[in-house]
């Protein structure tokens, strides 16, 4: 045994220092750096473990938060879908409302166009009526010289425009009012009345009595009223007058009538009326009728000179050959004398300015 031990562990000088190195290795473990490194490693291990635990907790929290977020996302998606559906429904309703509004706007535009057409047509109709009245007034002034008819036409045009408050019609209304005042201020005779008087005289020429046909008026018998049968006589306070017999009263009446027929009072300041034969009477009446017709024509033509001559000659014939004491003859003769002083030759105004205003109003209405 000793031999084996000696052979197994030979003592050599190189193996002798091994034990001190091992001791130095263990001693080196107790070095402060090693201890610090171990502490650091421990701290790092503890930190890693703690961090891992925190990461696990964080993973769990993140997973929980992700789950909650997914639920919220799903809820948001559901609400977003509901909102989208609502928006789509509102868009559909808005499209329907826009379509209705567009239709209403189209109808409003059509109604406005129709109103404009109706208003324009009404204005054109009124202006056409006014133009017709003005043309009638112009014709009455230029052709017939009838101021009264022209006034009536102008007044009807003014009344037609009175219900229209249009700015473009104001100059026309002023012009018509000015023409009416001008016609009213004219010093004209009543042409219609004189024409009617001449017409009546022409119709009665054949019935007017002549001067040589004049006979004294017959005396009307005075008939004394007889008391009624059964009436009581009226009491008189004065004494009763004795009346002559009836035959005597009739005799006196006849005598007085015959006596009045023998006496005739006539004027001596004019010559005796000429005795005319039936043929001359016809010619006289026809010549008088022709003179009156000529006077009426001159009246319509506003020829004052011819009118005065014809009426003067007709009045002279009536004074000489007709019975001026007759009521009808005296009345017609007075009409002729009155007509002789009538003023016919007056320059009548025209309506050109008013017609120009009408044309301007039409142009403004068309614009």
């Amino acid at each position: 045994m000793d031999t084996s031990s000696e052979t197994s562990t030979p003592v050599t000088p190189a193996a002798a220092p091994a034990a001190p190195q091992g001791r130095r290795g263990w001693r080196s473990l107790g070095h402060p750096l090693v201890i610090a490194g171990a502490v650091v490693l421990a701290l790092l291990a503890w930190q890693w473990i703690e961090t891992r635990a925190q990461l696990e907790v964080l993973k769990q929290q993140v997973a929980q938060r992700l789950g909650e977020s997914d639920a919220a996302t799903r809820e948001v998606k559901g609400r977003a879908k509901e909102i989208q559906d609502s928006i789509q429904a509102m868009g559909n309703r808005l499209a329907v409302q826009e379509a209705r509004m567009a239709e209403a706007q189209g109808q409003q535009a059509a109604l406005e166009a129709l109103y404009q057409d109706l208003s324009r047509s009404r204005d054109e109709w009124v202006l056409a009526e006014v133009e017709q009245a003005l043309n009638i007034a112009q014709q009455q002034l230029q052709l017939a010289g009838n101021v009264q008819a022209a006034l009536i036409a102008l007044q009807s045009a003014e009344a037609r425009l009175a219900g229209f408050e249009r700015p473009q019609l104001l100059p026309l209304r002023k012009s018509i009012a000015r023409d009416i005042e001008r016609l009213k201020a004219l010093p004209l005779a009543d042409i219609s009345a004189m024409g009617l008087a001449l017409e009546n005289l022409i119709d009665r020429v054949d019935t007017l009595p002549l001067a040589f046909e004049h006979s004294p008026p017959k005396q009307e018998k005075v008939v004394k009223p007889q008391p009624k049968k059964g009436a009581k006589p009226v009491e008189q306070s004065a004494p009763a007058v004795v009346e002559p017999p009836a035959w005597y009263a009739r005799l006196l009446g006849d005598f007085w009538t015959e006596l009045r027929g023998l006496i005739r009072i006539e004027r001596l300041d004019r010559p005796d009326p000429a005795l005319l034969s039936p043929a001359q009477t016809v010619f006289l009446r026809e010549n008088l009728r022709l003179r009156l017709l000529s006077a009426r024509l001159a009246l319509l033509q506003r020829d004052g000179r011819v009118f005065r001559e014809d009426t003067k000659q007709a009045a002279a014939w009536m004074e000489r050959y007709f019975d001026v004491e007759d009521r009808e003859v005296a009345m017609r003769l007075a009409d002729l004398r009155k007509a002789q002083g009538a003023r016919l030759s007056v320059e009548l105004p025209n309506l050109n300015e008013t017609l120009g205003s009408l044309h301007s109003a039409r142009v403004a209405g068309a614009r």
Side-chain angles (χ1 to χ4, degrees), residues 65-100:
R65 296 286 179 86
L66 287 175
E68 293 177 358
S69 177
D70 291 339
T73 303
R74 286 192 296 270
E75 185 179 358
V76 168
K77 286 183 179 179
R79 291 183 179 178
K81 187 177 181 181
E82 292 178 359
I83 293 173
Q84 187 176 3
D85 294 339
S86 300
I87 291 174
Q88 186 176 0
M90 291 178 64
N92 294 333
R93 278 182 278 181
L94 182 60
V96 173
Q97 293 296 330
E98 287 179 352
R100 291 180 179 176

Side-chain angles (χ1 to χ4, degrees), residues 123 126-127 161 164-174 358 361-362:
D123 292 346
V126 171
L127 290 178
L161 291 173
F164 277 80
E165 298 296 334
R166 300 287 191 276
Q168 64 269 18
L169 299 181
L170 185 59
L172 177 59
R173 295 181 61 182
K174 288 183 178 179
L358 175 63
R362 278 195 162 183

Side-chain angles (χ1 to χ4, degrees), residues 82-147:
E82 292 178 359
I83 293 173
Q84 187 176 3
D85 294 339
S86 300
I87 291 174
Q88 186 176 0
M90 291 178 64
N92 294 333
R93 278 182 278 181
L94 182 60
V96 173
Q97 293 296 330
E98 287 179 352
R100 291 180 179 176
M101 184 177 294
E103 184 180 359
Q105 288 178 354
Q107 292 178 356
Q108 183 179 1
L111 288 175
E112 288 179 357
L114 181 60
Y115 174 76
Q116 293 293 335
D117 292 339
L118 290 176
S119 179
R120 189 179 301 110
S121 300
R122 187 181 181 188
D123 292 346
E124 290 178 356
W125 180 259
V126 171
L127 290 178
E129 291 182 353
V130 172
E131 183 179 9
Q132 184 179 5
L134 292 179
N135 289 330
I136 292 175
Q138 184 84 322
Q139 292 174 2
Q140 291 294 329
L141 289 176
Q142 292 182 353
L143 301 180
N146 194 342
V147 178

